[in-house]
């Protein structure tokens, strides 16, 4: 938790956002102190500017200059920006040029992105974060778009999904990351948006995704595995991005989710498991995107932006405040 | 990771602040700042160790005791990526025997199988070592690790990365295909093993003995068909079959005879035996939805839209039937028939009608 605190915070804030519970469940003073805490994680150094997961490596008496071992982290930068948008921050403290420099420091020769400027994991999750950050800033000068797209395409598997990295088994979460990233990027002369997935690839991906909705109503992340609440979002949102959201049996999906509800609150990965912020948020996001047709109003959730994975209200706030003006 | 949150009753906890061997290091507490969001209650042991770690990072010391300290922190919090990073650089600076580090990692990996950093660290070690012997030992270790968790994604990714990294070392690759066969004999639905087979045979160049691609194609189609015969509703085997056909640009219609054995409602007479077209095993649930889908695809590829639509309508009707009549009587049958994908079939009908 220490090394992924901002991400956990994002899932918790995102849950409140989707439940429309911000005004009733939090005070203005609380929201202000959270914004302050998040800004304290923005750190500058030789690799540009980004957010770190928390102060766990920050020495007492020092905060905004990063050291080699207290560097910003790509996934945390994505989740921090969205968390601040949920908290309706004005982003006046955002070092936009520094963030673009940080993205450049994270991109590798093969087009992939490392979570940290000098190493750490590099896979479709980190690539997705780099794409979202660029689109939040509405500035693509922080990456080589063509090589990044080549990398993403190298992760496609024979089953139709995308693996976490080249050669990997098709996996629901990283398939979402790949499709969202391909969709977020504006066309370039050498890569028009329509060319990024051939019709045959698109058909195969839709087939594989829809094959993952299991008889339980929930989606699994890989062929022949058991359903898991988080994959209801990853696979459901991936289908939605491909314009095939109507292939999801939404009522069955909602039934599965309700079985994953934990008796002490929250939603677990599967029935009779323990709830956690990650599965709670992603389940709500899935329901917001793919609401059941036979639902009563207690299911009413705000509309979701499927590419950024945030409520539309938060997404439009981000659009209005994050890019340089 | 839970160790950070536990109250440790064990009096034997050793604190660096009480250890004379560490008296020369100035511990640095964590920055506190504004009221923490989601504050974490650290144990005294973790707090003490990380205070000393921040002190070490500040002076840049890289010594054997740093290896002790980072191991201690990682045991309490295996996701502490700064501790991993610093440990790796210390190992290099000290020119420590990296094979010993790998053996330590063998013990770590079993305890922290789901932690990304454990596997990332191994990759760094292998890159630094660049030893085929070490890589061979890694392959053996992975086999053991998969015995506990046959579908662990990190473990499989690491194996695929390792093989690709040593792509030209024939001896590392020699046993791979046979090994996937072993795994699929234990569990024919292990999709990770199917995926690995595809990676080995098709995804990473031509292996020794596999130069005749036509032979390889026949062999792999035969392999998939035999496994489908064992379990006709196993999507992993069907996906592999499709993968081979797509990869080798073989028309689906070349498998018409085979597929029709699985789209029928009952198994063919037992005296018909054709090696190229193994029949469904006795007692198999027929027709197989995967086979019906394949048949629809054959028709579509051949431009036979009418027939493709017919197959799809047939499946939708079966789904409807299963859902409304059979589901109440015998739930497990409904599960077998995968009614969840009715919408997918309706979509196939729409698409086919449009292309007409
Ligand atoms: Zn999950």
């Amino acid at each position: 938790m220490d090394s992924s605190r901002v991400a956990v915070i994002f899932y918790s804030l995102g849950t409140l956002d989707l439940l429309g519970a911000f005004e009733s469940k939090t005070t203005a003073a609380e929201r202000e102190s959270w914004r302050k805490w998040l800004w304290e994680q923005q750190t500058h150094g030789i690799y540009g500017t980004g957010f770190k997961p928390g102060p766990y490596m920050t020495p007492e008496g020092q905060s905004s200059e990063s050291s080699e071992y207290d560097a910003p982290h790509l996934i945390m930068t994505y989740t921090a920006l969205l968390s601040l948008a949920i908290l309706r921050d004005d982003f006046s403290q955002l070092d936009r040029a520094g963030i673009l420099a940080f993205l450049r420091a994270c991109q590798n020769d093969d087009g992939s992105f490392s979570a940290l400027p000098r190493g750490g994991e590099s896979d479709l999750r980190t690539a997705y974060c780099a794409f979202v950050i660029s689109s939040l800033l509405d500035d693509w000068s922080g990456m080589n778009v063509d090589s990044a797209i080549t990398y993403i395409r190298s992760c496609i598997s024979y089953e139709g999904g995308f693996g976490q990295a080249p050669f990997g088994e098709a996996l629901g979460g990283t398939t979402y990351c790949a499709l969202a990233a391909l969709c977020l990027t504006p066309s370039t002369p050498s890569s028009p948006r329509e060319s990024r997935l051939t019709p045959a690839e698109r058909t195969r991906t839709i087939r594989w995704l829809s094959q993952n909705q299991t008889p339980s109503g929930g989606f699994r992340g890989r062929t022949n595995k058991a359903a898991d609440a988080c994959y209801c979002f990853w696979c459901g949102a991936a289908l939605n991005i491909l314009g095939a959201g109507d292939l999801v049996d939404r009522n069955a999906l909602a039934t599965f989710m309700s079985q994953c509800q934990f008796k002490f609150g929250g939603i677990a990965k599967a029935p009779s498991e323990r709830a956690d912020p990650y599965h709670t948020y992603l389940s709500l996001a899935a329901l917001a995107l793919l609401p059941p047709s036979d639902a009563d109003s207690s299911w009413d959730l705000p509309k979701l932006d499927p590419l950024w994975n945030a409520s539309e209200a938060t997404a439009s706030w981000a659009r209005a405040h994050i890019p340089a003006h | 990771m839970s160790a950070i949150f536990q109250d440790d009753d064990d009096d034997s906890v050793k604190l660096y602040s009480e250890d004379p061997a560490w008296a020369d290091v100035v511990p640095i507490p964590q920055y506190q700042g504004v009221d923490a969001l989601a504050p974490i209650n650290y144990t005294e042991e973790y707090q003490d160790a990380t205070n000393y770690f921040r002190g070490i990072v500040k002076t840049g010391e890289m010594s054997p005791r740093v290896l002790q300290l980072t191991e201690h922190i990682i045991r309490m919090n295996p996701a502490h990526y700064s501790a991993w990073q610093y440990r790796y650089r210390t190992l290099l600076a000290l020119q420590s025997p990296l094979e010993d580090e790998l053996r330590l990692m063998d013990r770590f990996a079993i305890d922290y199988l789901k932690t990304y950093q454990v596997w990332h660290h191994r990759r760094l070690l292998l890159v630094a070592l660049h030893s085929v012997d070490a890589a061979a030992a890694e392959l053996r270790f992975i086999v053991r690790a998969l015995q506990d968790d046959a579908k662990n994604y990190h473990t499989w990714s690491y194996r695929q990365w390792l093989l690709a990294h040593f792509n030209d070392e024939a001896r590392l690759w020699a046993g791979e295909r046979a090994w996937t066969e072993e795994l699929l004999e234990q569990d024919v639905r292990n999709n990770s093993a199917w995926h690995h087979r595809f990676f080995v045979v098709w995804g990473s160049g031509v292996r020794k003995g596999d130069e005749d691609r036509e032979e390889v194609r026949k062999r792999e189609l035969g392999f998939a068909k035999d496994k489908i015969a064992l379990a006709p509703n196993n999507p992993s085997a069907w996906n592999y079959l499709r993968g081979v056909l797509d990869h080798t640009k073989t028309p689906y219609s070349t498998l018409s005879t085979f597929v029709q054995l699985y789209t029928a409602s009952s198994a063919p007479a037992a005296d018909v035996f054709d090696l190229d077209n193994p029949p469904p095993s006795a007692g198999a649930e027929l027709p197989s939805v995967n086979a019906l889908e394949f048949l629809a695809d054959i028709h579509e590829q051949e431009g036979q839209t009418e027939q493709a639509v017919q197959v799809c309508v047939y499946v939708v009707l079966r789904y409807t039937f299963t859902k409304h009549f059979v589901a109440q009587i015998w739930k497990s049958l409904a599960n077998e028939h995968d009614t969840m994908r009715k919408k997918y079939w309706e979509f196939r009908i729409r698409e086919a009608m449009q292309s007409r």
Side-chain angles (χ1 to χ4, degrees), chain A residues 1-3 34 40 55-56 58 60 68-69 121 159 164 167-169 207 210-211 222-224 247, chain B residues 1 29-31 37 42 46 54 79 82 89 116 151 153 189 191-192 195 234 236 239 293 344 347:
Chain A
M1 175 149 185
D2 226 4
S3 43
W34 296 341
E40 279 197 346
Y56 83 120
T58 311
E60 198 172 51
E68 178 89 40
Y69 297 95
E121 62 250 60
E159 289 195 276
Q164 186 161 302
F167 315 120
E169 182 183 356
R207 173 184 177 272
S210 95
Q211 194 179 60
R222 288 185 263 165
T223 304
N224 270 332
L247 299 193
Chain B
M1 214 181 330
Q30 180 180 317
Y31 172 77
L37 246 174
Y42 301 111
Y46 183 76
R54 279 182 290 269
S82 305
R89 287 181 198 164
Y116 187 93
K151 298 178 179 179
Y153 203 87
R189 289 180 174 78
N191 198 60
S192 300
H195 173 83
N234 174 14
S236 295
N239 287 358
E293 184 181 15
Y344 171 75
F347 159 76

Side-chain angles (χ1 to χ4, degrees), chain A residues 228-231 269 278-279:
Chain A
D228 172 330
C230 68
Y231 292 113
K269 68 183 244 180
Y278 170 80
H279 287 93

Side-chain angles (χ1 to χ4, degrees), chain B residues 189-234:
Chain B
R189 289 180 174 78
N190 181 346
N191 198 60
S192 300
W194 281 104
H195 173 83
H196 193 65
R197 188 177 181 94
F198 197 91
F199 163 71
V200 170
V201 177
W202 306 104
S204 53
V206 176
R207 298 291 142 205
K208 198 168 174 329
D210 271 4
E211 292 84 355
D212 183 345
R213 298 315 270 171
E214 179 50 28
E215 267 312 302
V216 171
R217 187 177 64 105
K218 273 196 200 139
R219 180 189 71 206
E220 293 307 304
L221 290 176
F223 180 77
K225 286 195 267 189
D226 286 345
K227 295 298 181 200
I228 288 171
L230 284 178
N233 293 295
N234 174 14

